[in-house]
Amino acid sequence: MTTTSDTTLTIDLSAVAENYRILTAQAKKAQVAAVVKADAYGLGAAQVAPVLRDAGCGLFFVATLDEAIALRSVLTNETIAVLHGLQTGQVELFRTHKLMPVLNTPLQVHLWQEADIPAILHVDTGMNRLGVSLTEAEQYRKSGFRFIMTHLACADEPSHPKNQEQLAAIKQLQKLFPDTPISVANSYGTFLSSDLHYDLIRPGMALYGLNPQPGKKNPMNTVVSLTSKILQIHTVDSPQTVGYGASYMVERPGKIATVPVGYADGYLRALGNRGTCAVKGKIVPVIGRVSMDLISIDIRSIEGEVREGDAVEILGQHITADELAECAGTIGYEILTRLGRRYRRVYI
Ligand SMILES: *Cc1c(COP(=O)(O)O)cnc(C)c1O
């Protein structure tokens, strides 16, 4: 088969569905929403959301109103919640597209009170990012929200004292709203403790195969793989530098392969001289700086002949998004949400 792109991004939708089932089992009685903001973390909300719906998901979170309107054209009956909430002049759009705002400020609550649509109240218990304060929440005790939600700052660090602080605030919240379902946990929170499940969990990253249990074996299935092809091989027999800034020196005779993936494709520039790829199942280092459209890898350690056109694994079985993120000094979320638009995309 002839294709025009050397690089293929494969998104395994059955793995997303399986990950939803794993989260449902983990959540026991709690309902499991799906967070599909930022185009389902870069994987494509239009493809991912229907698969989650078919796996049983009835509630979806996006960040912005635009994302919600786009998602509505894909999901007819499911509830779509907008994390950034309801702003002046937007009530009719929320009504027309049957969207549910997450109310973050007293002004947003005020706008909603005149609107007669369902809503979630977001209470800030320590993030200091979005949400009304506990004190502000008191005056809305009789308002009839679908859910009360809050967000944990340190769910990925089980022993962080912030978790206990937030739990104490959540206990107060429960007293204020004894009859309203509560939502606290993201992916990390879901695996941190069943005490955090309450009535609804809101996982994102775990659906997409990132590890929700730092330092432990990843219980989720791999969703993303990214494979490219060697564009050119250089045989080096005298000491030579590689790439911009001559930042890497090949000292011994060997082979350098050039691969058509660069920072314009989301292969972060911070991976220069730090990232790894896999060729014929063997891990090899990225050498020199990452260019806009290219990287160089050192293939001297590969046994047998390597040819131009041979496959290079960028993400997949040997290199996870979490591992690549670690090399770049970032998190798997950033690797996924930056995945480029030039790749051939294949959904399986
Ligand atoms: C993004 C987000 C989530 C999902 O978080 P993950 O860490 O990806 O599971 C849940 N709740 C809120 C408020 C979010 O912004």
Side-chain angles (χ1 to χ4, degrees), residues 61-301:
F61 284 88
V62 292
T64 68
L65 179 54
D66 283 330
E67 288 177 345
I69 292 170
L71 189 62
R72 180 51 81 210
S73 65
V74 179
L75 298 175
T76 315
N77 298 315
E78 290 64 32
T79 305
I80 300 174
V82 183
L83 287 164
H84 291 184
L86 172 67
Q87 279 145 49
T88 310
Q90 294 181 342
V91 170
E92 277 320 305
L93 283 171
F94 273 82
R95 209 193 304 281
T96 309
H97 296 281
K98 294 185 275 116
L99 307 173
M100 181 160 74
V102 175
L103 306 170
N104 297 303
T105 68
L107 173 63
Q108 292 193 350
V109 177
H110 176 75
L111 291 169
W112 168 76
Q113 277 165 337
E114 320 200 318
D116 190 33
I117 57 174
I120 295 175
L121 180 68
H122 188 178
V123 182
D124 189 340
T125 56
M127 272 291 269
N128 291 300
R129 188 177 67 167
L130 286 176
V132 302
S133 69
L134 263 176
T135 319
E136 286 164 341
E138 258 191 81
Q139 58 186 307
Y140 308 131
R141 289 165 80 162
K142 300 274 173 286
S143 293
F145 301 106
R146 281 294 164 87
F147 291 97
I148 303 293
M149 74 168 238
T150 191
H151 197 50
L152 298 173
C154 302
D156 58 338
E157 293 177 66
S159 58
H160 200 293
K162 189 89 195 178
N163 289 318
Q164 293 313 316
E165 239 176 78
Q166 289 197 261
L167 270 179
I170 292 164
K171 297 252 147 59
Q172 284 178 267
L173 250 186
Q174 277 183 297
K175 283 198 196 116
L176 281 181
F177 297 91
D179 303 318
T180 310
I182 290 190
S183 176
V184 174
N186 60 1
S187 301
Y188 289 124
T190 300
F191 286 87
L192 184 57
S193 160
S194 56
D195 292 349
L196 294 172
H197 293 172
Y198 296 93
D199 303 289
L200 173 75
I201 62 168
R202 308 185 308 269
M205 57 95 95
L207 290 168
Y208 311 118
L210 298 178
N211 188 0
Q213 289 187 295
K216 293 193 196 158
K217 189 175 177 299
N218 188 352
M220 313 315 294
N221 295 285
T222 302
V223 173
V224 172
S225 47
L226 184 61
T227 307
S228 191
K229 285 181 197 161
I230 294 174
L231 195 58
Q232 186 167 11
I233 295 177
H234 286 270
T235 303
V236 181
D237 42 24
S238 59
Q240 293 289 340
T241 65
V242 179
Y244 284 122
S247 71
Y248 186 89
M249 173 75 89
V250 182
E251 302 277 7
R252 292 179 296 132
K255 282 191 157 93
I256 303 162
T258 307
V259 184
V261 167
Y263 60 77
D265 303 298
Y267 200 87
L268 304 178
R269 197 165 171 278
L271 291 164
N273 288 318
R274 305 185 67 162
T276 56
C277 296
V279 176
K280 297 186 190 290
K282 194 157 188 208
I283 302 285
V284 297
V286 171
I287 54 176
R289 289 190 190 155
V290 173
S291 302
M292 186 183 289
D293 321 296
L294 299 164
I295 52 174
S296 300
I297 55 177
D298 183 341
I299 53 168
R300 80 172 67 239
S301 64

